[in-house]
Amino acid sequence: MSVEHTLQAPSVKSPDSTERPQAKTAHIHLDAPRMDEGPSLWNLAHESRALDVNSPYFYALWCRDFAASSVVARSTEGVHGFTLAFARPGDPETLFVWQTAVAAAHQGKGLARRMVDHLASKRFRFVEATVTPDNTASDRFLSAFARARGATLERTPLFGEELFPAGHAPEELLRIGPLNSSQPTSPDQ
């Protein structure tokens, strides 16, 4: 199932330094990722400068094996965002969000929220993700998502830093749910 929404293309500066909006509007479709989009996902993760970037092979494999529980935001111009997620083994009502990235030109427009809403609305009662203590952007995003869905957000330690190579912070589990089955509120509310 594909979902469409329209985003105004970013403004550009003319030579006289006044801003003018671009004339065209990008039609963004939310849909399952395709294997040939693996390189685009890798590029978005790399350009984010915030995500742990996996190998290009990982993104192609994820697009093959976990497409049904993941989503890309795509237009005729390419991929503008993605959320990689999976149903937890042994807990099929829980969606574990692995990574979410949005191209810089589309940030701040609710696209990440729309992608996670799109996936969570399929069949899931709970959403989980891990967050390091210094990742305030993800923490704020997940807290706002929980509020908008009328759900509780629980925090528990999951992976201590002793489980990672030196320099990697511990990961805290954020569990959101049960999700309100009604339509989520607008990200602008």
Side-chain angles (χ1 to χ4, degrees):
M1 177 176 168
S2 178
V3 176
E4 179 178 330
H5 66 276
T6 303
L7 294 174
Q8 182 66 40
S11 61
V12 294
K13 292 200 177 211
S14 63
D16 65 358
S17 296
T18 60
E19 288 201 18
R20 61 180 169 82
Q22 288 183 347
K24 66 180 181 174
T25 300
H27 295 282
I28 306 291
H29 301 272
L30 301 183
D31 206 354
R34 301 184 313 247
M35 278 194 307
D36 66 338
E37 292 172 324
S40 296
L41 275 58
W42 183 90
N43 282 329
L44 282 170
H46 179 73
E47 290 169 4
S48 78
R49 301 192 194 280
L51 295 175
D52 287 338
V53 180
N54 296 286
S55 72
Y57 171 82
F58 168 90
Y59 292 98
L61 185 66
W62 195 284
C63 290
R64 186 192 78 168
D65 290 348
F66 296 101
S69 59
S70 298
V71 66
V72 294
R74 131 179 8 109
S75 75
T76 55
E77 298 167 0
V79 175
H80 306 287
F82 70 83
T83 294
L84 302 182
F86 60 88
R88 284 261 324 269
D91 189 1
E93 291 186 326
T94 298
L95 177 73
F96 185 88
V97 175
W98 177 264
Q99 283 187 327
T100 297
V102 175
H106 295 288
Q107 289 177 2
K109 299 175 183 173
L111 186 55
R113 167 75 184 284
R114 288 182 184 104
M115 290 188 295
V116 175
D117 273 333
H118 173 75
L119 292 174
S121 297
K122 287 186 174 187
R123 67 175 193 266
F124 299 102
R125 293 188 62 234
F126 297 91
V127 171
E128 290 183 346
T130 61
V131 178
T132 57
D134 63 339
N135 190 341
T136 56
S138 290
D139 191 79
R140 283 193 313 267
F141 170 75
L142 292 165
S143 295
F145 176 81
R147 281 191 306 277
R149 295 301 290 256
T152 302
L153 185 141
E154 297 175 0
R155 300 166 189 274
T156 56
L158 185 62
F159 300 124
E161 59 188 50
E162 73 278 0
L163 297 175
F164 300 111
H168 192 291
E171 296 273 351
E172 184 177 54
L173 178 68
L174 278 61
R175 181 171 172 84
I176 300 167
L179 299 177
N180 184 337
S181 60
S182 65
Q183 270 304 88
T185 59
S186 164
D188 300 325
Q189 293 180 342

